[in-house]
């Protein structure tokens, strides 16, 4: 089994999972250094650093968004060059500063 190499060209990406339109949709919200003001407490966000994947669940998310957050994260990872990285899930009310620091790096 060969070891996975780091991709030097990888750019961090932030995705929003929202059912505001009536259907659950995942859309890209930004790349690179992303301000925490991009996070909306009414939605779920999936943040890919290339070495770890974070699922951030806002305090005002719907039950459908909460229920589907990890399955969307898993489906997203399956389409990347790094499908086996760790996945960490944070609720907005219990998000450590280290997550926000990584987002804004």
């Amino acid at each position: 089994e060969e070891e996975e190499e780091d991709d030097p060209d990888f750019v961090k990406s932030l995705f929003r999972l929202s059912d505001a339109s009536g259907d659950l949709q995942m859309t890209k919200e930004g790349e690179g250094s992303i301000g925490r003001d991009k996070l909306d407490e009414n939605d779920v966000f999936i943040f890919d650093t290339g070495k770890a994947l974070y699922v951030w669940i806002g305090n005002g998310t719907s039950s459908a968004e909460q229920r589907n957050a990890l399955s969307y994260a898993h489906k997203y990872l399956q389409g990347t060059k790094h499908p086996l990285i760790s996945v960490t899930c944070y609720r907005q009310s219990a998000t450590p500063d280290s997550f926000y620091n990584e987002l804004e790096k």
Side-chain angles (χ1 to χ4, degrees):
E1 217 174 293
E2 60 183 74
E3 219 171 283
E4 207 169 304
E5 300 280 327
D6 283 345
D7 181 354
D9 299 324
F10 184 81
V11 178
K12 296 186 297 185
S13 302
L14 181 71
F15 300 88
R16 177 191 301 252
L17 182 63
S18 177
D19 61 5
S21 68
D23 294 320
L24 204 53
Q25 297 180 334
M26 188 166 137
T27 55
K28 188 176 227 175
E29 290 293 307
E31 290 184 332
S33 178
I34 301 162
R36 67 175 77 190
D37 59 325
K38 284 273 191 193
L39 300 174
D40 176 349
E41 70 174 10
N42 295 310
D43 291 320
V44 167
F45 288 84
I46 296 171
F47 177 51
D48 185 0
T49 69
K51 295 180 187 245
L53 190 80
Y54 298 95
V55 178
W56 184 88
I57 300 174
N59 291 335
T61 55
S62 70
S63 60
E65 290 167 340
Q66 291 176 32
R67 230 184 5 260
N68 290 286
L70 288 175
S71 63
Y72 270 78
H74 178 68
K75 193 181 299 178
Y76 163 77
L77 275 179
Q78 287 178 323
T80 69
K81 291 181 180 178
H82 49 272
L84 302 176
I85 61 174
S86 66
V87 178
T88 304
C89 191
Y90 293 124
R91 289 207 169 272
Q92 180 181 356
S93 56
T95 305
D97 287 338
S98 59
F99 168 80
Y100 295 115
N101 293 341
E102 183 65 37
L103 191 68
E104 296 170 342
K105 209 190 275 183

XYZ file of all heavy atoms in Angstrom:
834
model
N 0.846 -1.188 0.000
C 0.000 0.000 0.000
C 0.886 1.244 0.000
O 1.781 1.362 0.813
C -0.863 -0.016 1.272
C -2.250 0.501 1.026
C -3.098 0.323 2.261
O -3.383 -0.846 2.610
O -3.440 1.339 2.848
N 0.653 2.147 -0.910
C 1.507 3.327 -0.952
C 0.946 4.430 -0.064
O -0.252 4.551 0.116
C 1.711 3.804 -2.389
C 0.469 4.184 -3.130
C 0.782 4.570 -4.555
O 1.073 3.672 -5.366
O 0.717 5.774 -4.843
N 1.868 5.183 0.508
C 1.486 6.261 1.408
C 1.030 7.472 0.604
O 1.580 7.781 -0.441
C 2.691 6.646 2.270
C 2.310 6.953 3.691
C 3.546 7.110 4.539
O 4.139 6.084 4.896
O 3.898 8.260 4.825
N 0.006 8.140 1.119
C -0.525 9.304 0.417
C 0.422 10.496 0.569
O 0.895 10.788 1.645
C -1.895 9.651 1.009
C -2.773 10.353 0.030
C -4.187 10.447 0.537
O -4.770 9.398 0.859
O -4.692 11.570 0.612
N 0.696 11.159 -0.525
C 1.570 12.331 -0.512
C 0.751 13.590 -0.258
O -0.400 13.671 -0.670
C 2.249 12.467 -1.884
C 3.101 11.297 -2.277
C 4.469 11.307 -1.641
O 5.014 12.405 -1.421
O 4.979 10.222 -1.346
N 1.355 14.579 0.399
C 0.710 15.873 0.536
C 0.680 16.542 -0.835
O 1.638 16.443 -1.590
C 1.485 16.773 1.509
C 1.234 16.385 2.951
O 0.272 15.630 3.200
O 1.990 16.836 3.823
N -0.391 17.210 -1.138
C -0.517 17.916 -2.412
C -0.088 19.361 -2.193
O -0.795 20.126 -1.549
C -1.970 17.840 -2.885
C -2.184 18.521 -4.218
O -1.238 19.153 -4.743
O -3.305 18.426 -4.740
N 1.080 19.756 -2.721
C 1.575 21.120 -2.487
C 0.700 22.192 -3.128
O 0.745 23.354 -2.736
C 2.976 21.111 -3.107
C 2.940 19.991 -4.097
C 1.956 18.984 -3.568
N -0.115 21.818 -4.102
C -0.979 22.782 -4.788
C -2.367 22.877 -4.170
O -3.213 23.626 -4.655
C -1.116 22.397 -6.267
C 0.226 22.410 -6.978
O 1.069 23.278 -6.653
O 0.435 21.539 -7.842
N -2.614 22.107 -3.106
C -3.952 22.100 -2.510
C -4.273 23.456 -1.881
O -3.444 24.053 -1.204
C -4.083 20.997 -1.451
C -5.465 20.915 -0.900
C -6.458 20.248 -1.590
C -5.800 21.555 0.284
C -7.752 20.201 -1.108
C -7.095 21.516 0.776
C -8.069 20.833 0.075
N -5.488 23.930 -2.094
C -5.955 25.190 -1.510
C -7.119 24.868 -0.571
O -8.062 24.167 -0.954
C -6.440 26.166 -2.613
C -6.976 27.444 -2.010
C -5.312 26.464 -3.593
N -7.045 25.357 0.675
C -8.112 25.127 1.638
C -9.440 25.621 1.062
O -9.479 26.648 0.381
C -7.848 25.869 2.949
C -6.614 25.394 3.669
C -6.451 26.045 5.021
C -6.274 27.539 4.915
N -6.003 28.179 6.201
N -10.514 24.893 1.353
C -11.822 25.235 0.808
C -12.902 25.139 1.874
O -12.861 24.263 2.735
C -12.190 24.286 -0.329
O -11.223 24.338 -1.349
N -13.883 26.042 1.763
C -15.021 26.060 2.677
C -16.299 25.863 1.871
O -16.513 26.543 0.866
C -15.079 27.397 3.426
C -16.208 27.538 4.444
C -15.946 26.645 5.666
C -16.353 28.993 4.887
N -17.133 24.934 2.333
C -18.409 24.642 1.680
C -19.552 24.854 2.667
O -19.412 24.589 3.856
C -18.434 23.188 1.190
C -17.358 22.877 0.196
C -16.105 22.459 0.620
C -17.587 23.013 -1.157
C -15.099 22.176 -0.295
C -16.585 22.735 -2.081
C -15.340 22.315 -1.645
N -20.701 25.288 2.144
C -21.900 25.495 2.949
C -22.911 24.412 2.611
O -23.161 24.136 1.442
C -22.510 26.858 2.638
C -23.813 27.134 3.373
C -24.524 28.374 2.846
N -23.708 29.558 2.963
C -23.929 30.549 3.840
N -24.953 30.486 4.661
N -23.133 31.591 3.862
N -23.488 23.821 3.644
C -24.579 22.869 3.480
C -25.828 23.544 4.026
O -25.877 23.883 5.215
C -24.276 21.570 4.237
C -25.310 20.460 4.130
C -25.446 19.986 2.684
C -24.929 19.291 5.030
N -26.810 23.782 3.164
C -27.989 24.544 3.562
C -29.243 23.995 2.899
O -29.200 23.525 1.761
C -27.809 26.014 3.163
O -28.964 26.756 3.488
N -30.355 24.087 3.625
C -31.642 23.719 3.040
C -32.564 24.938 2.946
O -33.783 24.815 2.864
C -32.305 22.570 3.803
C -32.598 22.896 5.250
O -32.389 24.052 5.689
O -33.050 21.991 5.973
N -31.976 26.137 2.940
C -32.750 27.381 2.892
C -33.617 27.456 1.631
O -34.689 28.060 1.650
C -31.818 28.591 2.962
N -33.167 26.830 0.538
C -33.920 26.875 -0.721
C -35.048 25.849 -0.747
O -35.836 25.828 -1.682
C -32.978 26.600 -1.892
O -32.544 25.249 -1.844
N -35.116 24.999 0.260
C -36.109 23.932 0.275
C -35.472 22.574 0.019
O -36.003 21.550 0.401
N -34.328 22.574 -0.669
C -33.562 21.354 -0.926
C -32.199 21.496 -0.266
O -31.644 22.587 -0.234
C -33.333 21.147 -2.423
C -34.622 20.867 -3.180
O -35.461 20.121 -2.645
O -34.782 21.405 -4.285
N -31.663 20.393 0.226
C -30.331 20.415 0.827
C -29.301 20.563 -0.285
O -29.280 19.772 -1.227
C -30.120 19.120 1.607
C -29.120 19.120 2.736
C -29.392 20.245 3.723
C -29.149 17.799 3.471
N -28.469 21.601 -0.211
C -27.468 21.861 -1.241
C -26.135 22.204 -0.596
O -26.094 22.883 0.419
C -27.899 23.035 -2.119
C -29.170 22.788 -2.885
C -29.575 23.967 -3.748
O -29.235 25.104 -3.457
N -30.303 23.704 -4.809
N -25.060 21.743 -1.254
C -23.708 22.060 -0.797
C -23.061 22.963 -1.841
O -23.010 22.615 -3.017
C -22.908 20.774 -0.618
C -21.569 20.992 0.032
S -20.874 19.421 0.575
C -19.184 19.640 0.069
N -22.606 24.135 -1.403
C -21.995 25.093 -2.317
C -20.660 25.562 -1.767
O -20.482 25.667 -0.552
C -22.904 26.329 -2.520
O -23.208 26.893 -1.239
C -24.192 25.966 -3.226
N -19.726 25.863 -2.680
C -18.412 26.363 -2.267
C -18.560 27.822 -1.848
O -19.138 28.628 -2.555
C -17.414 26.241 -3.414
C -15.997 26.556 -3.002
C -15.048 26.329 -4.162
C -13.871 25.535 -3.682
N -12.957 25.178 -4.744
N -18.003 28.166 -0.671
C -18.116 29.518 -0.120
C -16.819 30.306 -0.197
O -16.841 31.522 -0.116
C -18.564 29.454 1.347
C -19.992 29.019 1.520
C -20.980 30.037 0.989
O -20.922 31.218 1.370
O -21.820 29.637 0.168
N -15.683 29.614 -0.289
C -14.419 30.334 -0.331
C -13.233 29.400 -0.379
O -13.357 28.199 -0.169
N -12.058 30.003 -0.657
C -10.794 29.269 -0.720
C -9.696 30.070 -0.051
O -9.798 31.296 0.049
C -10.376 29.041 -2.176
C -11.210 28.072 -2.940
C -10.654 27.838 -4.345
O -10.002 28.741 -4.900
O -10.872 26.739 -4.870
N -8.647 29.375 0.359
C -7.498 30.043 0.963
C -7.816 30.542 2.364
O -8.449 29.849 3.142
N -7.394 31.758 2.662
C -7.666 32.359 3.970
C -9.118 32.829 3.986
O -9.535 33.623 3.151
C -6.728 33.536 4.206
O -7.022 34.141 5.442
N -9.881 32.331 4.946
C -11.318 32.598 4.984
C -11.670 33.228 6.321
O -11.347 32.682 7.369
C -12.106 31.285 4.793
C -11.727 30.644 3.446
C -13.603 31.532 4.875
C -12.090 29.204 3.323
N -12.338 34.341 6.304
C -12.735 35.004 7.540
C -13.853 34.263 8.239
O -14.713 33.673 7.588
N -13.862 34.305 9.562
C -14.905 33.600 10.296
C -16.280 34.215 10.057
O -17.303 33.598 10.344
C -14.585 33.496 11.784
C -14.578 34.791 12.547
C -14.373 34.577 14.029
N -12.986 34.286 14.331
C -12.555 33.872 15.505
N -13.383 33.716 16.502
N -11.284 33.637 15.707
N -16.310 35.425 9.484
C -17.592 36.046 9.163
C -18.314 35.312 8.027
O -19.495 35.540 7.785
C -17.397 37.530 8.798
C -16.474 37.729 7.605
O -15.512 36.955 7.458
O -16.708 38.663 6.831
N -17.625 34.400 7.329
C -18.265 33.577 6.291
C -19.191 32.525 6.903
O -20.075 32.006 6.234
C -17.204 32.855 5.449
C -16.496 33.713 4.466
C -17.291 33.750 3.190
C -16.457 34.380 2.086
N -17.263 34.718 0.945
N -18.947 32.191 8.175
C -19.758 31.168 8.836
C -21.100 31.772 9.242
O -21.166 32.855 9.808
C -19.035 30.627 10.070
C -17.680 29.978 9.802
C -17.003 29.623 11.120
C -17.819 28.756 8.928
N -22.173 31.056 8.951
C -23.537 31.493 9.260
C -24.133 30.478 10.223
O -24.184 29.286 9.913
C -24.332 31.548 7.955
C -25.792 31.906 8.135
O -26.286 31.930 9.274
O -26.449 32.156 7.108
N -24.602 30.942 11.366
C -25.099 30.015 12.387
C -26.319 29.216 11.935
O -26.694 28.238 12.576
C -25.409 30.748 13.684
C -26.608 31.661 13.626
C -26.949 32.255 14.983
O -26.163 32.108 15.929
O -28.021 32.860 15.075
N -26.927 29.579 10.829
C -28.105 28.868 10.341
C -27.776 27.725 9.388
O -28.687 27.072 8.877
C -29.066 29.847 9.655
C -29.613 30.852 10.636
O -30.089 30.494 11.700
N -29.516 32.120 10.298
N -26.493 27.483 9.149
C -26.091 26.438 8.215
C -24.942 25.602 8.760
O -24.346 25.934 9.781
C -25.665 27.057 6.875
C -26.842 27.663 6.120
O -27.933 27.054 6.116
O -26.681 28.753 5.550
N -24.638 24.531 8.038
C -23.495 23.666 8.320
C -22.393 24.044 7.337
O -22.676 24.345 6.174
C -23.880 22.178 8.128
C -22.647 21.285 8.109
C -24.849 21.724 9.202
N -21.147 24.036 7.793
C -20.017 24.323 6.920
C -19.030 23.173 6.976
O -18.786 22.608 8.041
C -19.342 25.638 7.308
C -20.172 26.823 6.942
C -21.185 27.260 7.781
C -19.981 27.480 5.731
C -21.983 28.334 7.433
C -20.777 28.547 5.375
C -21.781 28.981 6.227
N -18.471 22.843 5.824
C -17.476 21.786 5.700
C -16.191 22.457 5.226
O -16.172 23.102 4.177
C -17.959 20.698 4.728
C -19.223 20.034 5.309
C -16.866 19.675 4.465
C -19.933 19.093 4.369
N -15.137 22.323 6.034
C -13.873 23.015 5.790
C -12.771 21.990 5.564
O -12.487 21.169 6.434
C -13.557 23.911 6.992
C -12.251 24.633 6.906
C -11.907 25.373 5.790
C -11.368 24.589 7.973
C -10.694 26.053 5.727
C -10.162 25.275 7.930
C -9.822 26.003 6.802
N -12.175 22.023 4.381
C -11.146 21.063 3.987
C -9.781 21.738 3.976
O -9.557 22.674 3.210
C -11.474 20.520 2.593
C -10.540 19.418 2.140
O -9.616 19.058 2.894
O -10.738 18.917 1.015
N -8.869 21.278 4.843
C -7.517 21.839 4.881
C -6.544 21.014 4.040
O -5.393 21.393 3.897
C -6.964 21.893 6.319
O -6.718 20.560 6.774
C -7.908 22.614 7.261
N -7.001 19.879 3.543
C -6.120 18.968 2.819
C -5.500 17.928 3.728
O -5.101 16.868 3.290
N -5.426 18.236 5.028
C -4.884 17.287 6.014
C -5.949 16.863 7.018
O -5.805 15.857 7.702
C -3.714 17.918 6.770
C -2.539 18.197 5.858
C -1.394 18.819 6.624
C -0.320 19.237 5.670
N 0.907 18.526 5.812
N -7.021 17.662 7.111
C -8.144 17.354 7.995
C -9.404 17.988 7.408
O -9.326 18.975 6.681
C -7.892 17.897 9.395
N -10.537 17.402 7.737
C -11.818 17.943 7.307
C -12.614 18.280 8.565
O -12.689 17.471 9.485
C -12.585 16.925 6.469
C -13.822 17.488 5.784
C -13.407 18.256 4.524
C -14.791 16.389 5.396
N -13.155 19.480 8.599
C -13.943 19.937 9.744
C -15.379 20.152 9.318
O -15.643 20.723 8.257
C -13.386 21.251 10.290
C -11.968 21.128 10.798
C -10.897 21.444 9.986
C -11.720 20.678 12.092
C -9.592 21.324 10.444
C -10.423 20.546 12.561
C -9.365 20.877 11.731
O -8.077 20.749 12.191
N -16.299 19.704 10.162
C -17.724 19.940 9.949
C -18.170 20.851 11.078
O -18.064 20.495 12.258
C -18.514 18.615 9.959
C -20.002 18.879 9.784
C -17.999 17.677 8.870
N -18.624 22.048 10.736
C -19.028 23.066 11.719
C -20.541 23.196 11.651
O -21.098 23.474 10.585
C -18.349 24.382 11.383
C -18.570 25.502 12.346
C -17.833 25.783 13.461
C -19.557 26.539 12.271
N -18.307 26.904 14.073
C -19.369 27.391 13.370
C -20.599 26.804 11.380
C -20.174 28.502 13.601
C -21.406 27.916 11.604
C -21.189 28.750 12.711
N -21.206 22.971 12.777
C -22.672 22.984 12.819
C -23.136 24.208 13.590
O -22.925 24.315 14.800
C -23.204 21.694 13.469
C -22.736 20.487 12.644
C -24.718 21.738 13.580
C -23.072 19.148 13.237
N -23.752 25.147 12.877
C -24.244 26.375 13.483
C -25.377 26.112 14.456
O -26.118 25.127 14.324
N -25.548 27.006 15.414
C -26.581 26.854 16.444
C -27.995 26.860 15.878
O -28.906 26.303 16.482
C -26.451 27.954 17.499
C -25.208 27.787 18.349
O -24.689 26.681 18.499
N -24.709 28.885 18.897
N -28.201 27.482 14.722
C -29.550 27.595 14.159
C -29.834 26.644 13.010
O -30.787 26.856 12.257
N -29.045 25.590 12.876
C -29.231 24.664 11.753
C -30.495 23.845 11.908
O -30.961 23.581 13.016
C -28.037 23.696 11.617
O -27.844 23.032 12.864
C -26.781 24.414 11.219
N -31.043 23.429 10.768
C -32.240 22.581 10.775
C -31.848 21.148 11.133
O -30.676 20.766 11.041
C -32.902 22.602 9.399
O -32.097 21.911 8.459
N -32.840 20.359 11.494
C -32.549 18.956 11.831
C -32.052 18.208 10.598
O -31.194 17.331 10.704
C -33.768 18.270 12.439
O -34.846 18.285 11.531
N -32.546 18.554 9.409
C -32.082 17.894 8.178
C -30.607 18.212 7.925
O -29.836 17.334 7.528
C -32.918 18.331 6.980
N -30.210 19.461 8.145
C -28.802 19.834 7.966
C -27.923 19.075 8.955
O -26.877 18.542 8.580
C -28.625 21.346 8.141
C -29.223 22.155 7.010
C -29.337 23.637 7.309
O -29.306 24.040 8.503
O -29.463 24.408 6.362
N -28.348 19.010 10.200
C -27.570 18.304 11.216
C -27.468 16.815 10.893
O -26.402 16.215 10.986
C -28.211 18.482 12.594
C -28.116 19.889 13.125
C -28.839 20.059 14.439
O -28.911 19.131 15.248
N -29.382 21.234 14.665
N -28.590 16.223 10.518
C -28.646 14.791 10.228
C -27.767 14.399 9.037
O -27.228 13.298 8.993
C -30.103 14.408 9.922
C -30.623 13.254 10.664
C -32.038 12.801 10.308
N -32.704 13.463 9.210
C -33.618 14.430 9.343
N -33.954 14.874 10.524
N -34.199 14.951 8.280
N -27.642 15.278 8.073
C -26.931 14.952 6.831
C -25.502 15.485 6.747
O -24.801 15.210 5.778
C -27.735 15.472 5.634
C -29.000 14.676 5.430
O -28.958 13.548 4.966
N -30.133 15.247 5.804
N -25.075 16.234 7.726
C -23.760 16.893 7.673
C -22.621 15.906 7.429
O -21.796 16.114 6.527
C -23.513 17.685 8.954
N -22.552 14.851 8.209
C -21.431 13.915 8.064
C -21.512 13.097 6.787
O -20.479 12.782 6.195
C -21.328 13.011 9.290
C -20.806 13.725 10.544
C -20.842 12.796 11.747
C -19.403 14.259 10.328
N -22.710 12.765 6.321
C -22.802 12.009 5.070
C -22.360 12.877 3.890
O -21.705 12.384 2.967
C -24.198 11.429 4.852
O -25.151 12.448 4.722
N -22.677 14.174 3.902
C -22.198 15.071 2.853
C -20.673 15.216 2.929
O -19.997 15.254 1.905
C -22.870 16.448 2.936
C -24.140 16.529 2.126
C -25.321 15.973 2.584
C -24.157 17.168 0.885
C -26.495 16.049 1.843
C -25.318 17.247 0.130
C -26.487 16.678 0.617
O -27.639 16.751 -0.119
N -20.131 15.306 4.131
C -18.676 15.411 4.303
C -17.996 14.155 3.756
O -16.995 14.240 3.038
C -18.328 15.610 5.771
N -18.549 13.000 4.067
C -17.984 11.731 3.599
C -18.054 11.644 2.073
O -17.077 11.270 1.409
C -18.738 10.561 4.242
C -18.272 9.219 3.794
N -17.035 8.724 4.105
C -18.873 8.291 3.026
C -16.895 7.523 3.559
N -18.001 7.245 2.897
N -19.200 11.993 1.504
C -19.373 11.961 0.052
C -18.386 12.916 -0.632
O -17.794 12.598 -1.643
C -20.808 12.359 -0.307
C -21.186 12.060 -1.734
C -22.604 12.488 -2.040
C -23.601 11.759 -1.164
N -24.973 12.183 -1.398
N -18.191 14.103 -0.022
C -17.226 15.067 -0.553
C -15.816 14.460 -0.555
O -15.108 14.513 -1.556
C -17.249 16.360 0.272
C -16.032 17.214 0.048
C -15.897 17.982 -1.105
C -14.984 17.216 0.965
C -14.744 18.740 -1.330
C -13.839 17.970 0.746
C -13.727 18.725 -0.398
O -12.598 19.469 -0.628
N -15.416 13.871 0.575
C -14.063 13.301 0.684
C -13.815 12.201 -0.335
O -12.699 12.066 -0.835
C -13.818 12.764 2.092
C -13.348 13.760 3.126
C -13.174 13.077 4.475
C -12.068 14.443 2.705
N -14.830 11.413 -0.639
C -14.662 10.321 -1.605
C -14.237 10.833 -2.978
O -13.602 10.110 -3.733
C -15.959 9.518 -1.730
C -16.224 8.661 -0.520
C -17.535 7.910 -0.646
O -18.517 8.427 -1.179
N -17.556 6.694 -0.142
N -14.545 12.096 -3.285
C -14.186 12.652 -4.574
C -12.877 13.428 -4.572
O -12.554 14.093 -5.547
N -12.125 13.358 -3.464
C -10.863 14.095 -3.367
C -9.673 13.149 -3.508
O -9.835 11.928 -3.534
C -10.733 14.814 -2.002
O -10.573 13.833 -0.973
C -11.937 15.709 -1.720
N -8.468 13.735 -3.532
C -7.236 12.934 -3.557
C -6.840 12.496 -2.155
O -5.843 11.813 -1.978
C -6.087 13.754 -4.159
C -6.246 14.031 -5.629
C -5.054 14.815 -6.141
C -5.177 15.116 -7.612
N -4.048 15.910 -8.105
N -7.602 12.931 -1.146
C -7.280 12.602 0.247
C -8.538 12.096 0.986
O -8.975 12.692 1.950
C -6.668 13.815 0.957
C -7.446 15.082 0.768
N -7.245 15.936 -0.292
C -8.446 15.638 1.497
C -8.071 16.952 -0.195
N -8.819 16.791 0.870
N -9.087 10.963 0.527
C -10.350 10.485 1.100
C -10.249 9.924 2.514
O -11.277 9.733 3.166
C -10.777 9.389 0.121
C -9.494 8.890 -0.453
C -8.602 10.095 -0.546
N -9.039 9.713 3.015
C -8.886 9.063 4.322
C -8.407 10.001 5.431
O -7.974 9.533 6.476
C -7.933 7.872 4.206
C -8.369 6.804 3.197
C -7.320 5.719 3.085
C -9.719 6.230 3.575
N -8.508 11.329 5.222
C -8.095 12.248 6.284
C -9.122 12.236 7.417
O -10.255 11.795 7.230
C -7.881 13.696 5.746
C -9.174 14.263 5.160
C -6.753 13.724 4.739
C -9.075 15.728 4.744
N -8.716 12.732 8.574
C -9.614 12.729 9.722
C -10.742 13.744 9.539
O -10.576 14.767 8.873
C -8.836 13.040 11.002
O -8.354 14.367 10.951
N -11.885 13.439 10.132
C -13.049 14.324 10.108
C -13.382 14.683 11.549
O -13.532 13.806 12.394
C -14.263 13.638 9.443
C -15.483 14.548 9.478
C -13.941 13.232 8.015
N -13.467 15.987 11.818
C -13.803 16.471 13.151
C -15.058 17.316 13.047
O -15.174 18.155 12.156
C -12.661 17.335 13.728
O -11.456 16.558 13.712
C -12.962 17.781 15.144
N -15.974 17.100 13.961
C -17.247 17.813 13.954
C -17.325 18.738 15.171
O -17.044 18.301 16.286
C -18.378 16.789 13.978
S -19.984 17.481 13.660
N -17.669 20.009 14.933
C -17.817 20.983 16.023
C -19.192 21.622 15.972
O -19.652 22.012 14.900
C -16.791 22.127 15.896
C -15.366 21.734 16.104
C -14.418 22.005 15.124
C -14.939 21.115 17.270
C -13.089 21.668 15.305
C -13.612 20.773 17.456
C -12.697 21.056 16.464
O -11.383 20.713 16.641
N -19.815 21.764 17.129
C -21.010 22.605 17.242
C -20.519 24.031 17.441
O -19.487 24.253 18.070
C -21.860 22.183 18.436
C -22.535 20.859 18.217
C -23.815 20.785 19.048
N -24.595 19.638 18.665
C -25.501 19.636 17.680
N -25.722 20.731 16.995
N -26.186 18.561 17.391
N -21.263 24.997 16.941
C -20.855 26.395 17.038
C -20.537 26.790 18.480
O -19.539 27.454 18.748
C -21.962 27.301 16.490
C -21.615 28.766 16.558
C -22.735 29.651 16.020
O -23.751 29.159 15.529
N -22.544 30.944 16.096
N -21.361 26.347 19.409
C -21.195 26.741 20.812
C -19.988 26.099 21.484
O -19.603 26.506 22.580
C -22.466 26.394 21.594
O -22.755 25.019 21.455
N -19.362 25.116 20.829
C -18.211 24.432 21.435
C -17.028 24.380 20.470
O -16.242 23.441 20.497
C -18.616 23.025 21.853
N -16.900 25.387 19.620
C -15.813 25.411 18.636
C -14.558 26.008 19.264
O -14.608 27.127 19.771
C -16.221 26.249 17.410
O -17.441 25.742 16.883
C -15.147 26.193 16.339
N -13.427 25.284 19.210
C -12.194 25.820 19.786
C -11.578 26.911 18.894
O -11.810 26.943 17.681
C -11.280 24.602 19.863
C -11.759 23.704 18.775
C -13.246 23.940 18.666
N -10.794 27.777 19.499
C -10.115 28.836 18.755
C -9.216 28.262 17.665
O -9.009 28.902 16.629
C -9.279 29.715 19.695
C -10.159 30.624 20.548
O -11.316 30.882 20.146
O -9.681 31.076 21.596
N -8.680 27.065 17.883
C -7.781 26.460 16.891
C -8.484 26.283 15.538
O -7.851 26.403 14.491
C -7.243 25.123 17.394
O -8.309 24.228 17.665
N -9.791 26.011 15.560
C -10.536 25.893 14.291
C -10.575 27.230 13.572
O -10.297 27.316 12.377
C -11.969 25.402 14.554
C -12.863 25.520 13.354
C -12.820 24.575 12.349
C -13.735 26.591 13.221
C -13.642 24.695 11.230
C -14.558 26.719 12.103
C -14.498 25.755 11.104
N -10.916 28.298 14.300
C -10.994 29.632 13.685
C -9.619 30.080 13.195
O -9.506 30.706 12.137
C -11.572 30.638 14.671
C -12.999 30.340 15.051
C -13.333 29.989 16.351
C -14.022 30.385 14.098
C -14.650 29.726 16.695
C -15.330 30.103 14.436
C -15.641 29.766 15.737
O -16.936 29.486 16.076
N -8.574 29.739 13.940
C -7.199 30.096 13.524
C -6.839 29.396 12.217
O -6.228 29.995 11.336
C -6.187 29.736 14.611
C -6.359 30.564 15.858
O -6.977 31.627 15.827
N -5.853 30.072 16.975
N -7.211 28.123 12.081
C -6.922 27.361 10.858
C -7.716 27.939 9.683
O -7.203 28.051 8.579
C -7.287 25.885 11.068
C -6.963 24.994 9.889
C -5.481 24.867 9.594
O -4.674 24.830 10.532
O -5.126 24.795 8.403
N -8.932 28.358 9.939
C -9.792 28.941 8.908
C -9.178 30.215 8.340
O -9.169 30.435 7.134
C -11.158 29.251 9.535
C -12.309 29.636 8.610
C -12.717 28.446 7.750
C -13.500 30.096 9.440
N -8.623 31.037 9.224
C -8.118 32.350 8.832
C -6.647 32.338 8.418
O -6.117 33.358 7.996
C -8.349 33.347 9.970
C -9.844 33.549 10.222
C -10.164 34.331 11.476
O -9.282 34.459 12.361
O -11.296 34.818 11.573
N -5.986 31.176 8.558
C -4.548 31.072 8.251
C -4.269 31.321 6.794
O -4.991 30.936 5.927
C -4.066 29.666 8.631
C -2.618 29.637 9.034
C -2.123 28.219 9.152
C -2.400 27.585 10.498
N -1.854 26.253 10.620
